[in-house]
Amino acid sequence: MTGLRLKDVSKSFGEVTALRGVSLDVADGEFFTLVGPSGCGKTTTLRAIAGFESLDSGEVWFGEREMAGVAPEDRDVGVVFQNYALFAHMTVGENVAYGLRFRDTPGGQSKDARVAELLDLVDLAGFEDRDPDALSGGQRQRVALARALAPGPDVLLLDEPMSALDARLRKTLRKQVKRIQSELGITTVYVTHDQEEALAVSDRVAVMNDGGVEQVGRPEAVYRRPETRFVAEFLGENNVFAGEVAERGGGAGRTVRVGGQSFRVADFDAADAARGSHVTFCVRPEKLVAGGRENAVEAAVEAVEFLGESFRAHLDWEGRELVVRLSERPEDDRLRVGFAPEDAHVVSVGDRAREPEAVEEP
Amino acid sequence: MTRGEGLARWFERRAIAVLGVATALVLAVLFYYPVLTVFADAVRLGGAWNFEVAREVLTDPFYFGVFAPLFDGDLTAVSEIAADQPLGLVGFTAYQALLSTIASVALGLPGAYVLARYEFPGRRTIRSLTILPFVLPSIMVAIGFYAFFGANGPVNDLLAALGVGRLSMLGTLEAIVVAHAFYNAPLVTRVTTAAWESVDARMVETARSLGANPWRAFRDVLVPQLLPAVLTGALLTFVFTFMSFPIVLALGGFQLATVEVWVFSLVQQLDYAEAATLAVVETVVSLALTYAYLTYESRQSANSRAANPPPRKRFFPSVSADAGSLIAGLERAAILAYATVAAVVFVGPIASMVVESVTGPNGLTLQYYRFLVQRQVEGASFQTLPGVAVRNSLLFGAATLLVALPMGVTVSVLTARGGRWERLADTAAMAPLAVSGVVVGLGMLRGLVFGVELFGHRVQVDGPVAIVAAHAVAAYPFVVRNVSPLLGGVDRSVVESARALGATRVRALLDVELPLVAAGVAAGAAFAFAISIGEFDSTVILATGSSSYTMPVAVERYIGNRTLGPATAMGTVLLAVTSLSFVVIDRLGGRWEV
């Protein structure tokens, strides 16, 4: 087993810059997820690790080994693609055994025993002689996983492996993948555009945007304490406010003016944010409560969606859209919502506001 | 890892590059060098530049008609020439190619409509039969038409029975155009049918839901999607008929000669400089057209193809289901009339050839086949022996396969998936499609066969090697055309999965890609074999005065006699061998998608 390190990796395709100086550290045995919108460079990062893309600059290290010039077949990686990529002219068993043609079977088992072991691991025991075409999507993806793991790779790379499956199957399969990963303790890089999936399975996530890494951290940390506006808006829903510090007040808290409204925000270090500093902060929809007395504003109800366990209401406050979660459908067409000062998270503090427009819904 | 394994692995890693370089070398020696030899012959004489022959050819009204004075800069003769020979040889060649193209499109398009829109017993068979022209030896088709239109052929029998009287149709432009349509109309049908079948029915339905009537939906949605295919078919037909050789030679003779026939005739007279000049003119035209085609094709292939074609109408509706409107009835009648014409054009010549081979002056006979056997048993070594022709054809076919298949697969691998040099490599590799067999044959004859000085050594190849080389060059584009689209369709991640599992690039090719495209490889192989069996243009030049003649050359040599009998008998033997390779192609799911 081995850790993984990317140092300042850049890659362009013609005019298009796919990666601009990506640096990442993945610990040995870690389940590490790259998440971001399509075109953010997450798949290119994975392909650079696998050796499918040559780098314009930067380095990829597997443990103590620099991988420049090392062909994909010599990297000891297991790769699972979104579209399964099973060899259609081979049986399930032949697919899983393919990598054993080039590498010794781990633990000195026979090939057949290894194939049986792997198929058992993905709950497909006895499927050796099946034709891949005869399997369901979920089964095919599990065969692909078994095939990737059979030679005992150092690193497992998963490129949107669930995207072609329906929602219910995705949840089952991701639990299974997570279980197998922790059983084997294999270093895993997982690429997905689905932020819920990323938060659910990962030890750590890297949020990517526009060829760069925005933030790396444990799922809770990245969700609760986004460091950029992009992360705040990409992971889950958020209400982002941009304003400026009106007064210091007592302790670490500040009063922030957004439009004509003053909000009390607790999330400040004592030192930063002088009066007049531009501030961006966010409040999750579930923290924006109806009838709250602190930091309350009155907004017009624009639309209400029923989500099952709750309602999502889209509000208009002075031309800015707010999103709140409600347990009951609002009866009025106006709603008073507020939040506690400690429920606001400050994304950035600077002399200049990065985005002059205040609130947008992702 | 032992030293030997290490070396094997080292080679394995570079196998694709090595094969690519080898293919490029083979192409350079077997194609580009001969063609350049021809180009050099046109402008060099005795080791010095000499543009005299080129100037003479370009300013000769016999070749360029009214354009000749333009090249000469002397316009006084224009009106005289315009009255006498306005087109010249080159102009006539283009003119007959244009007529042939129009005829092929006219004959081919209704076929595409019927095959794409109707369901009837035998539809699939007929659809796969449309690849037949690429497998049928051109000299055999020429003999077939010779028998078909000849003084005692079925066409004249029919005319006589109708009281019109017998017409001499051999040596007419019409005969050439019909024979060219026989060859190329199926090509138009095939590419158009393929395009039609890949039209997304939902597009038409969307147009209808937006208010377009069936005719408007056809015009606004369907036609723009079919037009590229029709143009592709027409352009290729023009290129092929511009370079057509055996059909014009057999049906037109030297009175209606095209450039290709005239080049051949000049070679026979050993007038290489003039032959080369004409060959250059022809090659420049066909290369330009092929380049236009490849550019056009690459623009078109960007369109995504959704395989959701509209359902086919049944040609024989069940009585209760469809009483049938007047228009539907008229359409069916028109289709039946078309089917009759098509059957006559396509079956007539081949049937005539077979019938002619067993018909003597006194009715049914096997005398021509007895003649073949007798010639084989008693013939002198300088005569053309049928057995030798069959043996040579099979040997050359097998050897062609061995050369063309690896070349074609290598080129496919290197060009199937984008890449910096893909376009250039594709064009360079496909050039043999656009250079006539006579030009390649001439170049080989003048170069490698006559001998070349290389580093003080005289390099010379003999007839059979040169013939196999010429056949391989002609055949491998067909391997590429069969393998490349399938290879391009193999999901990239399948190959990458194999790589990640430890396979080198060439192992991934052998273990995964080639098995997945096995049908295309097999069909490409069968095409290569069939093209070698049927190749006439370069073989007839390279086999001159030697014993390396093939079946098509034997057919041509037997024509000279007073009767068509021996030639048609030999042609029937050729048909039998060719049919066999067609059966193989069909069994293997052969496809020809230009």
Side-chain angles (χ1 to χ4, degrees):
Chain A
M1 293 301 163
T2 174
L4 199 61
R5 169 172 294 185
L6 273 67
K7 283 185 188 167
D8 207 21
V9 171
S10 292
K11 173 75 186 173
S12 301
F13 298 100
E15 301 286 294
V16 184
T17 305
L19 298 179
R20 36 186 112 232
V22 170
S23 296
L24 290 171
D25 260 305
V26 182
D28 188 6
E30 190 174 24
F31 197 114
F32 190 89
T33 298
L34 301 172
V35 66
S38 56
C40 71
K42 54 191 190 299
T43 291
T44 307
T45 306
L46 187 100
R47 294 173 59 78
I49 296 171
F52 297 138
E53 305 289 356
S54 60
L55 308 181
D56 294 345
S57 64
E59 296 171 2
V60 174
W61 291 74
F62 281 28
E64 297 304 305
R65 193 164 163 225
E66 213 274 307
M67 301 309 275
V70 179
E73 60 264 30
D74 298 324
R75 293 197 177 197
D76 282 334
V77 291
V79 183
V80 178
F81 290 102
Q82 172 181 347
N83 57 357
Y84 328 124
L86 294 182
F87 306 140
H89 60 299
M90 299 183 189
T91 63
V92 167
E94 286 166 348
N95 265 283
V96 177
Y98 185 76
L100 303 176
R101 294 189 195 183
F102 311 105
R103 285 172 204 158
D104 293 334
T105 313
Q109 293 166 292
S110 74
K111 283 187 187 180
D112 288 349
R114 179 67 180 169
V115 170
E117 180 190 336
L118 263 301
L119 284 178
D120 189 44
L121 185 69
V122 297
D123 294 334
L124 289 173
F127 272 57
E128 278 90 342
D129 295 328
R130 299 280 188 96
D131 192 352
D133 287 343
L135 303 183
S136 70
Q139 288 173 329
R140 285 184 210 188
Q141 199 53 292
R142 283 184 279 155
V143 173
L145 181 63
R147 181 179 68 179
L149 291 171
D154 292 337
V155 174
L156 180 62
L157 304 174
L158 306 167
D159 187 8
E160 307 237 8
M162 322 284 186
S163 301
L165 307 173
D166 66 61
R168 183 183 293 269
L169 199 53
R170 272 212 296 270
K171 285 186 181 162
T172 327
L173 191 56
R174 84 184 181 206
K175 268 195 293 186
Q176 199 170 12
V177 168
K178 177 66 184 168
R179 169 181 62 79
I180 291 169
Q181 190 270 338
S182 20
E183 264 176 42
L184 300 178
I186 183 171
T187 309
T188 300
V189 178
Y190 183 89
V191 162
T192 181
H193 64 269
D194 182 338
Q195 41 94 14
E196 185 200 323
E197 209 164 86
L199 297 177
V201 295
S202 319
D203 295 327
R204 284 192 304 151
V205 299
V207 182
M208 294 189 68
N209 182 36
D210 196 22
V213 176
E214 295 267 329
Q215 188 175 354
V216 182
R218 293 192 308 110
E220 305 91 299
V222 177
Y223 182 83
R224 289 184 188 146
R225 308 200 59 81
E227 288 166 6
T228 65
R229 180 170 185 154
F230 175 81
V231 176
E233 293 182 327
F234 181 76
L235 288 184
E237 289 177 305
N238 229 332
N239 297 295
V240 181
F241 298 82
E244 56 187 51
V245 175
E247 54 170 294
R248 261 190 100 97
R254 300 285 187 281
T255 300
V256 180
R257 287 197 71 81
V258 178
Q261 184 79 29
S262 292
F263 293 104
R264 195 69 198 155
V265 176
D267 184 27
F268 281 95
D269 292 334
D272 63 13
R275 186 187 174 106
S277 297
H278 288 276
V279 168
T280 304
F281 66 94
C282 58
V283 181
R284 291 284 176 191
E286 61 270 24
K287 303 290 187 189
L288 204 56
V289 290
R293 299 220 327 271
E294 282 180 295
N295 292 329
V297 296
E298 195 174 277
V301 178
E302 295 277 295
V304 179
E305 295 165 317
F306 179 52
L307 304 178
E309 77 274 25
S310 64
F311 292 86
R312 178 193 287 132
H314 296 268
L315 312 177
D316 179 77
W317 170 61
E318 294 180 0
R320 296 158 173 131
E321 196 187 354
L322 300 179
V323 180
V324 295
R325 290 293 181 94
L326 304 169
S327 56
E328 296 297 333
R329 189 182 284 275
E331 287 168 9
D332 226 348
D333 59 358
R334 293 196 71 78
L335 193 64
R336 199 172 167 75
V337 291
F339 60 92
E342 36 307 334
D343 285 337
H345 165 67
V346 173
V347 176
S348 64
V349 181
D351 289 339
R352 282 160 289 144
R354 271 187 277 173
E355 285 95 358
E357 262 307 299
V359 181
E360 286 161 32
E361 177 58 20
Chain B
M1 202 181 281
T2 69
R3 195 189 183 88
E5 278 173 359
L7 196 69
R9 186 95 172 156
W10 181 92
F11 180 75
E12 222 179 279
R13 285 178 196 294
R14 285 155 186 83
I16 301 269
V18 170
L19 278 173
V21 171
T23 301
L25 273 178
V26 168
L27 261 187
V29 174
L30 299 186
F31 175 72
Y32 282 100
Y33 176 69
V35 171
L36 284 178
T37 306
V38 173
F39 275 58
D41 263 354
V43 290
R44 285 178 75 84
L45 196 67
W49 295 102
N50 185 320
F51 297 96
E52 194 49 37
V53 176
R55 203 190 62 79
E56 267 174 30
V57 169
L58 283 176
T59 56
D60 188 343
F62 173 77
Y63 290 125
F64 283 94
V66 290
F67 289 102
L70 298 181
F71 291 135
D72 205 14
D74 170 20
L75 300 180
T76 52
V78 167
S79 58
E80 192 186 325
I81 294 165
D84 191 26
Q85 43 189 2
L87 291 175
L89 186 73
V90 176
F92 171 75
T93 306
Y95 174 63
Q96 63 82 26
L98 181 67
L99 289 184
S100 303
T101 305
I102 293 169
S104 302
V105 171
L107 188 61
L109 277 188
Y113 173 73
V114 175
L115 285 177
R117 296 296 297 120
Y118 279 94
E119 189 58 76
F120 53 91
R123 184 187 64 82
R124 290 177 59 85
T125 310
I126 290 179
R127 194 188 186 292
S128 57
L129 277 176
T130 53
I131 61 169
L132 204 56
F134 289 98
V135 192
L136 284 186
S138 49
I139 188 69
M140 191 191 83
V141 174
I143 290 293
F145 272 95
Y146 204 87
F148 190 54
F149 286 126
N152 300 313
V155 174
N156 263 321
D157 287 347
L158 182 71
L159 289 177
L162 293 172
V164 180
R166 292 179 183 275
L167 293 175
S168 170
M169 270 171 294
L170 293 172
T172 63
L173 184 57
E174 288 80 358
I176 293 176
V177 168
V178 173
H180 280 163
F182 169 95
Y183 241 87
N184 294 292
L187 167 71
V188 174
T189 301
R190 194 166 179 80
V191 293
T192 312
T193 306
W196 212 316
E197 285 172 347
S198 67
V199 166
D200 191 342
R202 283 170 297 208
M203 286 195 205
V204 177
E205 285 162 3
T206 307
R208 295 291 301 279
S209 72
L210 291 169
N213 63 30
W215 160 243
R216 282 299 300 266
F218 176 81
R219 200 192 72 186
D220 297 344
V221 177
L222 213 54
V223 170
Q225 295 191 64
L226 297 186
L227 212 53
V230 177
L231 286 178
T232 294
L235 193 55
L236 280 176
T237 300
F238 189 88
V239 173
F240 289 151
T241 53
F242 189 79
M243 300 189 301
S244 166
F245 176 49
I247 286 176
V248 181
L249 183 67
L251 296 180
F254 292 115
Q255 296 80 38
L256 281 175
T258 56
V259 174
E260 184 89 346
V261 171
W262 206 253
V263 170
F264 172 68
S265 141
L266 289 170
V267 170
Q268 301 251 299
Q269 297 158 28
L270 307 182
D271 190 347
Y272 294 119
E274 198 161 330
T277 307
L278 266 188
V280 169
V281 170
E282 182 195 45
T283 305
V284 166
V285 171
S286 58
L287 273 180
L289 288 171
T290 307
Y291 182 76
Y293 156 66
L294 285 175
T295 312
Y296 183 65
E297 185 199 36
S298 69
R299 274 222 318 271
Q300 295 305 323
S301 59
N303 300 346
S304 63
R305 295 279 192 206
N308 180 27
R312 293 193 175 81
K313 297 180 258 187
R314 304 185 71 82
F315 189 74
F316 304 107
S318 57
V319 183
S320 59
D322 181 12
S325 65
L326 179 66
I327 291 177
L330 281 176
E331 187 175 314
R332 289 199 162 77
I335 289 171
L336 284 177
Y338 166 76
T340 312
V341 171
V344 169
V345 171
F346 291 109
V347 179
I350 302 298
S352 301
M353 181 188 73
V354 177
V355 169
E356 186 88 18
S357 77
V358 292
T359 311
N362 310 313
L364 221 56
T365 176
L366 283 176
Q367 69 180 81
Y368 304 123
Y369 292 93
R370 275 203 297 277
F371 164 83
L372 292 185
V373 174
Q374 198 178 359
R375 171 64 72 88
Q376 175 60 29
V377 174
E378 298 168 5
S381 62
F382 62 86
Q383 284 179 312
T384 303
L385 308 181
V388 174
V390 172
R391 189 203 64 196
N392 282 345
S393 280
L394 293 176
L395 274 180
F396 295 164
T400 299
L401 196 61
L402 289 179
V403 180
L405 202 57
M407 276 176 77
V409 169
T410 304
V411 171
S412 302
V413 171
L414 292 177
T415 59
R417 268 176 238 292
R420 218 172 315 169
W421 301 101
E422 186 205 10
R423 275 300 303 286
L424 186 66
D426 199 22
T427 309
M430 285 300 126
L433 210 56
V435 177
S436 78
V438 168
V439 173
V440 175
L442 174 61
M444 282 197 183
L445 188 72
R446 296 284 291 156
L448 294 169
V449 176
F450 284 179
V452 184
E453 289 289 339
L454 196 67
F455 303 122
H457 296 280
R458 190 154 188 80
V459 180
Q460 197 169 7
V461 300
D462 58 350
V465 174
I467 288 174
V468 169
H471 286 190
V473 164
Y476 92 89
F478 290 82
V479 178
V480 176
R481 285 292 173 192
N482 276 280
V483 175
S484 188
L486 292 179
L487 215 48
V490 172
D491 199 314
R492 183 174 67 165
S493 60
V494 173
V495 180
E496 288 175 347
S497 292
R499 295 290 303 274
L501 289 167
T504 57
R505 181 67 192 84
V506 72
R507 278 302 294 267
L509 177 69
L510 294 175
D511 289 348
V512 178
E513 284 172 290
L514 288 186
L516 288 175
V517 302
V521 175
F527 265 117
F529 186 75
I531 286 196
S532 169
I533 294 278
E535 214 285 340
F536 177 74
D537 306 17
S538 63
T539 318
V540 72
I541 286 185
L542 291 168
T544 304
S546 79
S547 60
S548 32
Y549 46 83
T550 58
M551 285 191 280
V553 175
V555 170
E556 198 263 346
R557 289 186 185 172
Y558 292 148
I559 295 180
N561 306 335
R562 262 165 308 168
T563 163
L564 263 186
T568 53
M570 192 68 219
T572 306
V573 173
L574 180 53
L575 175 66
V577 175
T578 308
S579 306
L580 216 63
S581 34
F582 174 69
V583 169
V584 172
I585 290 180
D586 196 48
R587 281 291 147 81
L588 296 172
R591 37 177 278 168
W592 161 260
E593 310 291 1
V594 275

